[in-house]
């Protein structure tokens, strides 16, 4: 049976600045992408139906080709669809419309879409509407949830280590692990929904787990700095790579079957976990090594 072995990295070949350079450059680029998105759209990432309000239809379309089906869908409705997604290789399509207005207007718009779909000969499998006011409230609650989770994580980390540099290393790594996937969501066109918010919250947990494992091994266990780092890497890298493989499989399978939410969650987690490997074993290691040999712990 094949066994995976984590290779031992010779950190002595690199200075702390060299180790920290790549994660910091990637983080800077990610922040610029998010800043650019916010400047142009007013949001750090494109919000989905859960946060903007609108209607989602699942319709079966009898058409000879995917191109023809999409054209038939656009012609069937007086309103312009915000997005049209095919479910796997089936004849079912997910059509979304973003709307503004009161709940009464939203309900009337939903009934109109259902009527137009029936007149076009589409088989309406499901229809769901979200009011703009409810979507805005949901967006605020999701933002509060992410901020509260991050603040709670930071407080717990500072309470555990009670020293600034090791604690701030964990917090910076967790922050970067969230920012990088959010930037990639802009690049890949993944919308911010309740599901993708849950994925970002999961990344906080993954990040803290690997970083605390490293910090504990270096600061609280006996042994040379590099021996302690490798000991933590053997466990941390194995766990993270296993999670990456599982999330990649989920994203691929979900994409094949047209389950957009699971595909988005899997994609975000894959990129976030890859970022976690970089931040933990480059940025965090550089800060811990500086703390151990050059900082206040000297």
């Amino acid at each position: 049976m094949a066994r995976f072995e984590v290779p031992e990295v010779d950190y002595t070949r690199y200075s702390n600045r060299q180790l920290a350079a790549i994660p910091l450059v990637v983080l800077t680029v990610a922040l610029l992408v998010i800043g650019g998105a916010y400047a142009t759209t007013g949001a750090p990432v494109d919000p989905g139906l859960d946060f903007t309000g609108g209607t989602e239809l699942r319709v079966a379309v009898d058409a000879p080709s995917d191109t023809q089906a999409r054209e038939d869908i656009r012609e069937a409705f007086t309103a312009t669809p915000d997005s049209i997604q095919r479910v796997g290789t089936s004849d079912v399509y997910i059509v979304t419309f973003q709307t503004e207005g009161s709940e009464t207007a939203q309900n009337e718009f939903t009934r109109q879409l259902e009527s137009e779909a029936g007149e076009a000969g589409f088989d309406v499998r499901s229809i769901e509407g979200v009011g703009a006011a409810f979507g805005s409230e949901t967006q605020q609650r999701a933002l509060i949830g992410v901020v509260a989770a991050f603040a709670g994580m930071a407080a717990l980390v500072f309470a555990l280590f009670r020293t600034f540099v090791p604690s701030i290393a964990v917090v910076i790594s967790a922050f970067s692990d969230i920012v990088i996937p959010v930037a990639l969501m802009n690049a890949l066109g993944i919308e911010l929904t309740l599901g993708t918010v849950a994925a970002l919250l999961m990344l906080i947990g993954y990040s803290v787990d690997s970083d605390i494992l490293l910090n504990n091994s270096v600061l609280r266990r006996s042994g040379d700095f590099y021996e302690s780092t490798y000991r933590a890497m053997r466990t941390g890298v194995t766990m993270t790579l296993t999670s990456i493989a599982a999330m990649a499989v989920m994203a691929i399978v979900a994409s094949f079957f047209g389950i957009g939410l699971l595909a988005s969650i899997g994609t975000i987690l894959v990129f976030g976990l890859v970022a976690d490997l970089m931040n933990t074993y480059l940025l965090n290691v550089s800060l811990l090594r500086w703390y151990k040999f050059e900082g206040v712990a000297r």
Side-chain angles (χ1 to χ4, degrees), residues 78-96:
T78 54
T80 303
D82 184 65
S83 68
I84 303 174
Q85 297 179 353
R86 188 177 186 179
V87 179
T89 57
S90 68
D91 61 350
V92 178
Y93 289 80
I94 300 174
V95 188
T96 59

Side-chain angles (χ1 to χ4, degrees), residues 76 112-122:
Q112 176 187 335
L113 292 176
E114 187 174 14
S115 174
E116 291 176 346
E119 291 174 0
F122 301 157

Side-chain angles (χ1 to χ4, degrees), residues 185-207:
M185 287 171 65
N186 284 298
L188 298 175
I190 298 176
E191 295 180 337
L192 186 68
T193 64
L194 290 175
T196 53
V197 167
L200 295 175
L201 290 172
M202 290 172 65
L203 284 175
I204 295 177
Y206 275 116
S207 176

